[in-house]
Amino acid sequence: MNRPVAILPLLLLLLFALGAVRTASAEDMAPRLRNALVKIRVTGQSWDSTEPWKKRRPGTRTGRGVVVQPGVVLTLANIVRDPIMIEVSREGGARLYPARLKHVDARVGLALIEITDEKLRAQLKPIEIGDPVKLDDEFDIWQLNSDNLLQRATARVVAARASSTRLTLKVNTTNPNSGDGQVALRDGRIAGLLTGSVRRQEGTILSVETIRRYLKDFDDGTYHGCPGPGLWIQPLLRQDLRTFYGLTDDQHGLAITRVMPNRTGSGVLQKNDVLLAIDGFDLDDEGKFIHPAHGRLDTRWLFQGRRYAGDKIKASVLRAGKVVAVEFELKPFPASEMRVPARPANGRPQYLVEGGLVLLELTRAVGVGRSTGGVILRRYVERATWDEPNARRRVVFVDHVLKDISNKGMNSFSKRPLLKVNGQPINEIADVVAALKKPQGDFHVFGFEGVQSDFVLPVKEREAINERIAERYMVTRTRYLHGDPE
Amino acid sequence: MRNIAVLGLLGTLALAGPAEDLDQYRASVVQVFTTSQSEDYMRPWQRPRASGSGGSAFFIGNKRLMTNAHVVSDAKTLLVKRADRSKRYPATVVFKGDDCDLAIITVKDASFFEGMEPLRIGNRPDIRSTVAAVGYPMGGNKLSVTQGVVSRIELRGYSHTGADEHLTIQVDAAINPGNSGGPVVQDGKVVGVAFQGQFFAQNIGYMIPPSVIRHFLEDIGDGKYHGYPELGLYTAKLENDSLRRHLGVPDNESGVLVLKPTPYASCVGHLRRNDVVTKIDGNRIQNDGTIKVGKEFLDFSFIVEGKQIGDSVTLTVRRDGKLIEVPIKLKKWAARMSQAYQYDRRPEYLVTGGYVFAPVTTNYLYRSRGTEELSFYFRQWYRTIAVEGKSREQLVLLSRVLRWPTTRYQDYSNGIVSKVDGTVPKDFADFVRMLDNAKKDLVKIEFEGVNTPPLILDRRVIAKSHKDICKRYGITKDRHVEEPKK
């Protein structure tokens, strides 16, 4: 008697629920996407990394993006690299509208550009960021094709990959093109951006989790980036290491081999601790954990790629044979604090040309070669990125020497790290400028790392020498330091 | 590694000049047949397949034949044959100088030397003078005499060790495989020993000059070959006027700037950085580091070329504004970590529980086709150890891990040992002693590099598995360790 009464509300609930998750059809989406997808055309030109007064040949890149805030387009970082001019076009037309770079995070791989044409801004409508997609989920990938017409492909998630900065999903897709910011949509909301190459119908999308984290990072008005590493960790697959760290057969985790001062985990975690669990996720011996939606993922994503500096992390740690619960704060480690960053800030190398020495700050974008000096530099490249910021702030080195009669017989300085100028230690390239104000008698004396003679530059002739070299080698500008006029 | 090919086991150059009579050499220049077997640095408990090769040698009297060191290195059997006889006689090596690529061999059977006339060592031939190379080059079995002109005399690398440099005479006739060890004659006297050629050039062959031959013969006078002394100086040219002014070198003076006396060599304690060496044994040193020898300018180290270990050389040095005479007693460079390729030596190694350790040597890098990474570390440590004289004398390498249930998940590729239970091994023998004398069950071996996992040797596990591993992998002897010479 009571049974039909009970079933009726249940059926009604199910009907409502079905309505709520009804997939937006391609026909439904097309009108909205016409006002949300844009094609981006970027004229880019990078600085020459070893003759930084020059720029390389300009090039044009084309990518896609989607409006996520009024007048603001989300796209991939590599599309907008070294921009000189950014333009966008919209569905159905060839007209190009001006835009400007609003923000880029190369490590995460995302960027925001702002459309500056007021009329277009008003016409374009943001699309909401959707819920995370998981393994086997299906969705559409939309783009504006070469004729600026809407084109749709289907995709299905087949695997997930995590790194210290982002979560990506591998998809099987009918999309024939390489990923350049094409938009994954599910239920009318953004489900990811297609990135990287599409080969044999396999592509990669940047996940909703990564996109959400990136956009939310601006909430306090400043972008902070993913928390930096502060820990050195090692997998514990090998039995010899498991024995050494005292793990029982049912304990699994990652050994901590170093905790960097003032970085994530400092003061709480210790060398030789074994991380067993983070935020309730058990770690395995390879450094991965099981995510309920994405499967096995890299542990670094747990406390870097999905979190924010200042967040608190709860962890379970094996220390001296006992399992202890700890809590530590995630700390930032911006590229500006790395001794050897991946690229110069803003893509523009700081440099000085003095007496023919082309002095640069070392970045991983510079080829160090195989010379004796290169061997020394490579040591810095290997270690310095992860080093504490208490040593030299930057490595200043001679990339090469512009030969001149004044430096005759003194041109074996290529790739040599510069240690001192006029007796003053050099911790960054600005120090060279300061040190040149205090010559040693009649000379400026440059001292280098390794078995190497000093380089001397006569004070009285310095200006004339620099002018002569600049003129002969067409060095249009003999210095660029941050703060100098562009 | 070697762009100059030793002609080892190969042969002669040159054509009979009008002054040279082939019959004169028929009995005195002999063919050398060598069966050699080098070492297997990846599986040092066994040797690679033996191979045969040939070269030339010439009679210098007293039952002695002179040839190249590379003709007889790693020889297992050595046979010699006169041009005027069909019989091949067994020979043995009496003296060998790898650094100067010369060797003395002898034949026990006195009848071999019947009717032989010793060839006399002449003087260094002049540039453009005609010489004839006598020997047994490829392309036939009979004695060959070919003619060429002396085209260049200079200090250059001897490719047999890849690390030594001595006076060399270049002739314009191609020196071919088989010529090695054969005499190059002029007016009936030996003015050189053919020894190497250029792979990618035409009409460039090299011979060892009389000064080096005499140095070798004088050295073995006491029944043992000692080798060349090393001045051991890192210097810079003083061609730059500003640098000379900065250092206070008068205009009428020239020389080289001392950057660093090399540890383990002759000048340590006698010279210091920023000394200017103006003369060597009274010979004025030019600003490019050369001295005038006859009509040629040769590197000032040429003076040391003529000295034996224990001899003295006097350097005139400008120090703190004054000229002083510095007598230097010449020593052999005593660093154990050498960049020279070595011969007739068993590789050192240790196999323990499936882990194969070995010292890093040039032989290892060359024979194992060492990775770029390993070469980088070798160069870096060579610089640190041999040039800067720091802590260690040899580098120890985990060269490979033999797969076994107890060595699972080992992902080492050429890990350089940094510490054993917290202590730096100073050489390979020291490392082996540390393992042999370990008291604890677990021995921690750490490696160079950023965050490279340590290896924990569980001596209990090794005790159980070692014999089985050796048996299954055909390891007949699990170690070869040489204690350093006192």
Side-chain angles (χ1 to χ4, degrees), chain B residues 278-286 291-293 300 303:
Chain B
T278 61
K279 289 181 183 172
I280 179 165
D281 274 355
N283 297 279
R284 178 174 176 161
I285 301 175
Q286 307 296 315
I291 56 169
K292 194 164 188 192
V293 181
F300 74 95
I303 295 297

Side-chain angles (χ1 to χ4, degrees), chain A residues 374-384, chain B residues 376-377 380-381 448-450:
Chain A
V375 167
I376 302 172
L377 284 183
R378 194 169 151 184
R379 183 80 173 160
Y380 285 113
V381 173
E382 273 191 336
R383 303 190 69 94
Chain B
F376 160 70
Y377 273 115
Q380 181 184 316
W381 279 102
E448 295 297 335
V450 179

Side-chain angles (χ1 to χ4, degrees), chain A residues 366-412:
Chain A
V366 175
V368 297
R370 299 166 68 97
S371 63
T372 306
V375 167
I376 302 172
L377 284 183
R378 194 169 151 184
R379 183 80 173 160
Y380 285 113
V381 173
E382 273 191 336
R383 303 190 69 94
T385 306
W386 305 103
D387 229 326
E388 300 119 273
N390 59 359
R392 275 192 281 168
R393 229 179 77 70
R394 290 278 190 273
V395 178
V396 178
F397 73 105
V398 178
D399 185 80
H400 61 288
V401 182
L402 300 171
K403 290 185 185 176
D404 181 66
I405 190 68
S406 65
N407 59 40
K408 182 183 76 170
M410 299 181 64
N411 39 35
S412 58

Side-chain angles (χ1 to χ4, degrees), chain A residues 302-313:
Chain A
L302 270 180
F303 62 95
Q304 286 186 254
R306 67 170 196 154
R307 305 301 292 263
Y308 302 87
D311 283 0
K312 293 280 195 318
I313 292 285

Side-chain angles (χ1 to χ4, degrees), chain B residues 192-230:
Chain B
V193 177
F195 79 123
Q196 63 189 30
Q198 284 278 9
F199 262 134
F200 304 110
Q202 291 180 333
N203 301 333
I204 293 182
Y206 296 102
M207 64 183 193
I208 298 168
S211 59
V212 176
I213 299 171
R214 286 205 177 89
H215 186 278
F216 175 71
L217 292 173
E218 188 183 322
D219 190 322
I220 61 177
D222 63 356
K224 188 182 174 193
Y225 181 69
H226 305 82
Y228 277 79
E230 289 268 352

